[in-house]
Amino acid sequence: MKILVTGGAGFIGGNFCYYMLDNRPEYKIVCLDKLTYAGNLSTLENALKNKNFKFVKGDIADKILVDKLFADEKFDVAVNFAAESHVDRSIENPEVFLVTNILGTQVLMDACRKYGVKRYHQVSTDEVYGDLPLNRPDLLFTEETPIKTSSPYSSSKAGADLLVHAYYRTYGLPATISRCSNNYGPYHFPEKLIPLMISRALANESLPVYGDGLNVRDWLYVEDHCSAIDLIIRKGRVGEVYNVGGHNEMTNIDIVKTILNELGKPHSLITYVKDRKGHDLRYAIDPTKIHNELGWLPKTKFADGIKKTVEWYLQNKPWWQSIISGEYKNYYDKMYNSPRG
Ligand code: NAD
Ligand code: TDX
């Protein structure tokens, strides 16, 4: 079995490579990644020592490169994690989101059709469903919830999902889609809420909470997302969407306070800043379908997962310190220290 993993130098794709190398030692993995600002080869340092793992630098939207890779490697399965993934960046510059997230998906699926790949899996997000009201805890996203996006990022992911469905329906491409809630864990790029707050708290810097901090996200430990994708590619039904989440809704401010408490840092570091434009209020996944059909259940409780995550950032300072000292510093200064027009 040979799997293409795109975006494997990023957060979830990297964790998925390790998950598969550990749990499916009979599989061969080829990772295709453009190494954008969010891609980090040091994430794959240990994977690169494994004879079942190979890294190829390249763009999923590069037709010629992708075609040659598929011709050479003869993949059984392709799992597409590669994406521009940060909502705030999509608000500043939508174009690259459309190119990578939509056209890149098309290029990969065309190659899957041409070379008869047995399964194409699209890693999507709960953000395609838009948001839920804060005062209706009874409402959850199911696979039947209409697509209704808020940001250029979520619109590009929704566009890709629709294209995947069209390739299944029109060409019979054996495709599946997973829509997961917010992930957290090792190798998470420090522009996202949890690693941003950990890295800034450790430096005794202010923690920028958008708006009133009461927006709700549904957090899942990254390894549980990886186990769901592994199940879907082996046992999921083609043409189907599977929601992935562990019923763990928390307000942003509670997340930030939990991190400060874990690190023994004062709550006075919290600074309320201008809200994100179009900021989604609440995400909450109903994972009944993947549980009933495939028997998936998350293993890691938030209280344990956040401890493990904080510990990982304490033990792996060189990984994130090299990121925040580079180009990322200019991004932070631009995004947070100048008014959002
Ligand atoms: P990430 O930003 O950490 O990593 C993305 C990776 O894709 C990087 O290694 C980057 O170099 C690579 N990449 C970007 N453009 C590329 C291109 N054109 N060609 C090849 N490689 C390219 O993202 P992540 O948080 O790991 O998210 C992975 C996937 O999971 C995305 O599709 C995202 O939409 C989805 N998702 C993320 C979350 C979350 O909480 N992070 C939740 C649900 C779904
Ligand atoms: O500095 C910040 N302050 C803040 O209050 C940042 C970066 C975020 N936030 C808030 C915004 C959100 O309500 O925290 C929440 C989480 O923000 P992000 O980490 O940017 O994640 P989110 O916008 O929820 O999107 C994430 O989950 C779905 C991923 O980045 C997406 O790729 C995934 O699809």
Side-chain angles (χ1 to χ4, degrees):
M1 180 70 80
K2 193 185 268 191
I3 306 194
L4 170 67
V5 175
T6 70
F11 166 45
I12 308 174
N15 277 282
F16 183 74
C17 289
Y18 286 114
Y19 182 89
M20 296 304 275
L21 290 170
D22 287 348
N23 291 282
R24 312 264 158 242
E26 69 282 17
Y27 287 20
K28 297 216 176 305
I29 296 178
V30 177
C31 167
L32 171 65
D33 197 297
K34 189 179 176 184
L35 297 180
T36 67
Y37 80 91
N40 205 328
L41 252 195
S42 68
T43 296
L44 296 171
E45 198 179 308
N46 285 324
L48 287 162
K49 295 176 193 152
N50 190 310
K51 63 175 179 13
N52 286 338
F53 183 83
K54 181 168 150 185
F55 179 80
V56 177
K57 183 174 186 300
D59 188 336
I60 58 164
D62 181 339
K63 268 188 237 175
I64 295 168
L65 178 141
V66 167
D67 188 274
K68 184 168 181 330
L69 185 67
F70 275 69
D72 290 348
E73 298 287 353
K74 302 183 176 51
F75 297 116
D76 298 292
V77 174
V79 186
N80 183 24
F81 292 91
E84 289 293 334
S85 70
H86 193 36
V87 173
D88 292 328
R89 289 187 191 249
S90 83
I91 294 168
E92 294 302 303
N93 176 22
E95 189 173 340
V96 66
F97 285 74
L98 306 188
V99 175
T100 289
N101 299 1
I102 303 179
L103 296 180
T105 297
Q106 174 234 321
V107 168
L108 289 172
M109 290 194 299
D110 282 343
C112 287
R113 285 179 61 211
K114 181 169 170 186
Y115 293 98
V117 171
K118 293 195 258 320
R119 176 65 65 90
Y120 174 81
H121 183 74
Q122 177 73 1
V123 181
S124 186
T125 168
D126 59 0
E127 296 203 15
V128 301
Y129 299 123
D131 62 354
L132 295 163
L134 293 175
N135 62 356
R136 288 290 308 275
D138 55 313
L139 296 180
L140 302 174
F141 296 134
T142 73
E143 290 80 0
E144 311 308 321
T145 302
I147 301 252
K148 188 168 179 285
T149 54
S150 310
S151 70
Y153 162 70
S154 54
S155 304
S156 69
K157 294 296 289 183
D161 283 13
L162 296 177
L163 202 59
V164 174
H165 187 258
Y167 270 55
Y168 162 69
R169 174 82 189 242
T170 307
Y171 307 116
L173 182 77
T176 40
I177 297 174
S178 52
R179 294 185 180 141
C180 191
S181 59
N182 286 58
N183 285 213
Y184 68 102
Y187 302 113
H188 203 180
F189 195 88
E191 68 186 347
K192 307 283 170 57
L193 181 74
I194 289 182
L196 178 76
M197 298 300 166
I198 297 173
S199 57
R200 290 186 67 82
L202 283 172
N204 298 311
E205 289 171 332
S206 65
L207 307 188
V209 173
Y210 296 164
D212 58 11
L214 296 178
N215 301 60
V216 169
R217 296 293 182 265
D218 185 359
W219 293 95
L220 184 72
Y221 193 61
V222 62
E223 200 174 288
D224 285 322
H225 186 187
C226 296
S227 73
I229 295 172
D230 174 39
L231 263 180
I232 296 168
I233 60 179
R234 289 182 300 111
K235 299 189 176 153
R237 288 182 294 136
V238 298
E240 294 293 318
V241 173
Y242 294 91
N243 281 355
V244 183
H247 290 298
N248 185 58
E249 293 179 51
M250 286 180 74
T251 61
N252 293 338
I253 192 67
D254 281 346
I255 291 280
V256 174
K257 287 179 180 166
T258 305
I259 290 168
L260 287 171
N261 295 345
E262 282 297 327
L263 291 171
K265 296 285 181 178
H267 289 202
S268 56
L269 288 174
I270 295 170
T271 313
Y272 291 93
V273 300
K274 192 161 180 232
D275 211 351
R276 173 184 281 173
K277 287 181 194 160
H279 197 172
D280 280 336
L281 290 172
R282 171 176 166 249
Y283 303 145
I285 279 279
D286 177 353
T288 306
K289 178 173 171 180
I290 189 167
H291 175 60
N292 287 350
E293 269 191 30
L294 306 180
W296 178 84
L297 276 177
K299 286 203 177 116
T300 304
K301 290 197 184 74
F302 186 78
D304 301 329
I306 196 70
K307 276 193 178 33
K308 278 204 271 187
T309 303
V310 167
E311 188 54 31
W312 188 88
Y313 280 84
L314 285 168
Q315 297 300 325
N316 290 275
K317 284 187 181 164
W319 182 88
W320 55 268
Q321 282 177 342
S322 69
I323 293 171
I324 58 174
S325 62
E327 181 268 340
Y328 177 71
K329 196 175 175 317
N330 301 333
Y331 164 84
Y332 189 90
D333 290 343
K334 181 167 170 277
M335 291 295 283
Y336 291 84
N337 295 338
S338 59
R340 290 166 198 214

